[in-house]
Amino acid sequence: MPIAPTYRLIYASHIAPVCQDDLKAALTRIVSRSIAANRKAKITGLLIAHKGWFVQALEGPRAAVDRLFDTIAADPRHHHALPISQGEIDGRLFEQWSMCARMLTANDEAVLSALNPKSAFDPTKIPDRTLMRLLATVADVHWRVLSEQQSLAA
């Protein structure tokens, strides 16, 4: 039986006011509630929050990714969820996480300005390749920090 191709969907949505008050707690709830369901659906991905926006890459079987995006689009924590990029991929970039989330900070501004120096952060206006580079860079940095923390704890 042939293996179904892996599909990636990147979307952006406005962070609802209900999440803005305590974004860190909202992200913690989103991650903790999503890990088991995403693992079961064979979905991996990364969610970033920055300047009023959520941006997320979801990877997995197309039907599962599409169902999850429909759920996200109906979630009151997200306003105006908009697919930015989607299609079949050769390999996952976020395979280490069933669900991971990160708030971008002032330290990440250098990354953002290097990727798109001419404008304010609006993921709907950032070219697909640039947005993918941002997500991949955030994932790489996050993975290195976690690995260093685990090494120090061992």
Side-chain angles (χ1 to χ4, degrees):
M1 174 181 250
I3 297 174
T6 303
Y7 181 77
R8 179 183 298 129
L9 176 124
I10 299 172
Y11 75 89
S13 66
H14 290 282
I15 300 172
V18 69
C19 291
Q20 292 283 7
D21 294 338
D22 191 353
L23 186 55
K24 188 173 184 176
L27 286 173
T28 300
R29 283 190 300 275
I30 289 170
V31 169
S32 64
R33 292 179 181 164
S34 300
I35 289 174
N38 287 1
R39 192 173 291 145
K40 184 177 178 181
K42 297 180 175 47
I43 292 176
T44 57
L46 172 69
L47 171 70
I48 61 173
H50 187 62
K51 294 193 175 183
W53 291 93
F54 283 130
V55 178
Q56 185 170 23
L58 301 169
E59 301 170 332
R62 182 176 184 153
V65 168
D66 286 342
R67 275 191 304 275
L68 179 54
F69 177 72
D70 290 343
T71 300
I72 290 166
D75 188 316
R77 296 172 291 198
H78 298 265
H79 285 177
H80 311 292
L82 175 70
I84 293 175
S85 173
Q86 54 194 322
E88 290 182 6
I89 56 174
D90 293 329
R92 294 177 190 243
L93 286 178
F94 310 103
E95 64 189 334
Q96 62 267 55
W97 297 301
S98 298
M99 179 62 185
C100 180
R102 182 152 184 263
M103 286 189 307
L104 299 186
T105 65
N107 294 335
D108 298 302
E109 287 294 330
V111 172
L112 290 167
S113 64
L115 294 173
N116 195 10
K118 296 178 184 165
S119 63
F121 185 73
D122 180 346
T124 65
K125 294 184 176 17
I126 296 174
D128 295 356
R129 288 181 62 191
T130 303
L131 198 55
M132 193 63 231
R133 282 179 39 216
L134 171 63
L135 288 161
T137 301
V138 169
D140 185 50
V141 169
H142 193 67
W143 184 250
R144 278 194 243 158
V145 168
L146 289 174
S147 296
E148 288 173 13
Q149 288 173 347
Q150 289 174 347
S151 294
L152 292 173

